[in-house]
Amino acid sequence: MIATTKKVSTKATVPRSKLAKSAKFIPLYLMALPGLIYLFINNYMPLPGIIIAFKKYSAKLGIFGSPWVGLKNFQFLFKTSDAWIITRNTLLYNFGFIIINTVLAILVAIILSELRSRMKKFYQSAILLPNLISIVIVSYLVFAFLSVDNGFINKTILPLFGINPVKWYSDTSPWPFILILVSAWRSVGYMCIIYLAAIIGFDKSYYEAALIDGASKMQQIFRITIPLLKPTIILLTMMAIGRIFYSDFGLFYQVPQNQGALYSVTNTIDTYVYRGLLQLGNIEMSSAAGFYQSVVGFILVLSANLLLRKIDRESALF
């Protein structure tokens, strides 16, 4: 009788133990709930509206009552003389951003991980600050440097070398470098924090063993740190590839001050659609552009992951 009682009580405690284990994660679920709600409202609720890309939208008839026009709205992106320019700019700038920002972010993360100064946290905060500054403020900071009449470069730097003032906002040649520099200044700090968090989590025994074997600091970086960072690099690169047909709208619209003389090097798909909508007020064309960018981004992610699986199966995301 006693043995039977013990057996029953043991079975009764099993669900309680599972419940207790699940209860430990309730605070984490509650913390994640606002983000999940935002994700659902911002990313999933608007999905039915994607059919606007294939309709001639009428506010009177509504989304589902508006007449179908097929692929006519997509002609806005492809049947213009600017189609090649905006596609070229969008792709080349994003490729440049991915390569340069990734290299700089890894470099800065490694430098910060090697610092033993008390100012380390200050440096981390300072390098992240540009990412938190509004792009409008960034555009005025750039203008303070590049203004033809009162800019810091024209008034202070160029006279030191006997160079005449440059009309920065009408000369297209320096703007690819300016945009890449501004993008790196804003983005490297955020990416660097992600890489730094990964580096801090590495097992220190690898470095201790390498030190015992006589490995230099550069050898430790190239033989241990960077190989261990590979999964993080792949993940962030895949995310960037998925948005390669999108552009940082503020960077290409606000920073060049929307100067018409610079359109050939600053006009991207996003800015082109925005300017077109200002003139036409056509939301179905905007929806078509967004749909096109999303589909192409999805295909690029799948293609990049497929290529990665053939090169190194273990590094692929899926």
Side-chain angles (χ1 to χ4, degrees):
M1 185 67 180
I2 295 172
T4 304
T5 306
K6 287 183 178 179
K7 188 175 181 180
V8 172
S9 62
T10 303
K11 289 183 178 179
T13 57
V14 172
R16 291 182 182 178
S17 62
K18 290 183 178 179
L19 186 61
K21 288 180 181 179
S22 301
K24 291 192 299 183
F25 296 102
I26 290 178
L28 297 178
Y29 296 149
L30 292 176
M31 290 175 62
L33 187 60
L36 293 174
I37 293 173
Y38 169 79
L39 186 68
F40 176 74
I41 294 174
N42 190 70
N43 292 55
Y44 290 95
M45 284 185 65
L47 279 179
I50 203 170
I51 63 172
I52 295 177
F54 306 94
K55 292 195 169 192
K56 183 170 180 58
Y57 177 71
S58 169
K60 181 180 179 181
L61 299 174
I63 295 176
F64 298 100
S66 300
W68 293 90
V69 294
L71 300 177
K72 186 177 179 180
N73 292 322
F74 292 87
Q75 296 176 3
F76 175 69
L77 288 175
F78 302 108
K79 283 195 173 181
T80 64
S81 59
D82 297 323
W84 158 246
I85 294 174
I86 62 176
T87 304
R88 178 202 65 188
N89 289 345
T90 304
L91 286 174
L92 291 182
Y93 276 122
N94 277 315
F95 274 123
F97 294 160
I98 291 172
I99 296 171
I100 294 173
N101 292 355
T102 299
V103 172
L104 290 177
I106 293 172
L107 176 63
V108 174
I110 292 173
I111 292 173
L112 288 176
S113 68
E114 295 295 331
L115 287 179
R116 298 295 179 263
S117 170
R118 294 181 179 178
M119 298 290 289
K120 182 176 179 179
K121 292 190 180 297
F122 171 76
Y123 296 145
Q124 293 177 20
S125 302
I127 204 169
L128 182 63
L129 184 62
N131 187 259
L132 306 177
I133 299 176
S134 168
I135 191 64
V136 177
I137 297 175
V138 172
S139 68
Y140 281 108
L141 290 174
V142 174
F143 183 75
F145 277 88
L146 303 181
S147 173
V148 177
D149 298 323
N150 302 307
F152 178 75
I153 294 180
N154 277 352
K155 284 293 182 180
T156 306
I157 303 299
L158 296 185
L160 294 176
F161 300 95
I163 302 175
N164 294 326
V166 177
K167 296 181 179 180
W168 298 99
Y169 288 93
S170 59
D171 185 3
T172 59
S173 57
W175 274 95
F177 304 100
I178 294 171
L179 292 173
I180 289 173
L181 179 63
V182 174
S183 173
W185 179 70
R186 293 192 70 232
S187 305
V188 165
Y190 173 76
M191 296 174 64
C192 147
I193 296 300
I194 298 175
Y195 288 121
L196 180 61
I199 293 173
I200 292 173
F202 293 160
D203 190 348
K204 301 302 179 186
S205 62
Y206 294 132
Y207 297 95
E208 293 171 359
L211 195 61
I212 293 172
D213 290 339
S216 65
K217 186 60 67 178
M218 292 301 295
Q219 288 175 325
Q220 293 177 36
I221 290 171
F222 284 101
R223 300 292 179 86
I224 300 175
T225 305
I226 293 180
L228 290 176
L229 273 177
K230 188 166 70 170
T232 307
I233 296 172
I234 291 172
L235 178 62
L236 293 181
T237 303
M238 286 290 189
M239 293 173 64
I241 289 174
R243 295 188 60 82
I244 204 167
F245 263 75
Y246 290 84
S247 59
D248 186 340
F249 177 80
L251 177 66
F252 290 97
Y253 186 83
Q254 296 285 356
V255 174
Q257 302 286 324
N258 194 25
Q259 294 293 324
L262 304 177
Y263 282 178
S264 61
V265 293
T266 62
N267 208 7
T268 61
I269 294 175
D270 290 309
T271 57
Y272 182 78
V273 171
Y274 177 75
R275 292 186 182 106
L277 288 174
L278 283 179
Q279 297 172 2
L280 303 175
N282 196 325
I283 66 170
E284 53 262 32
M285 290 181 181
S286 176
S287 180
F291 180 76
Y292 164 70
Q293 289 170 305
S294 299
V295 170
V296 172
F298 179 68
I299 293 172
L300 285 172
V301 169
L302 292 179
S303 303
N305 188 75
L306 182 62
L307 180 63
L308 190 61
R309 280 174 64 90
K310 292 188 176 182
I311 298 173
D312 185 1
R313 188 178 183 87
E314 292 183 358
S315 299
L317 294 180
F318 48 86

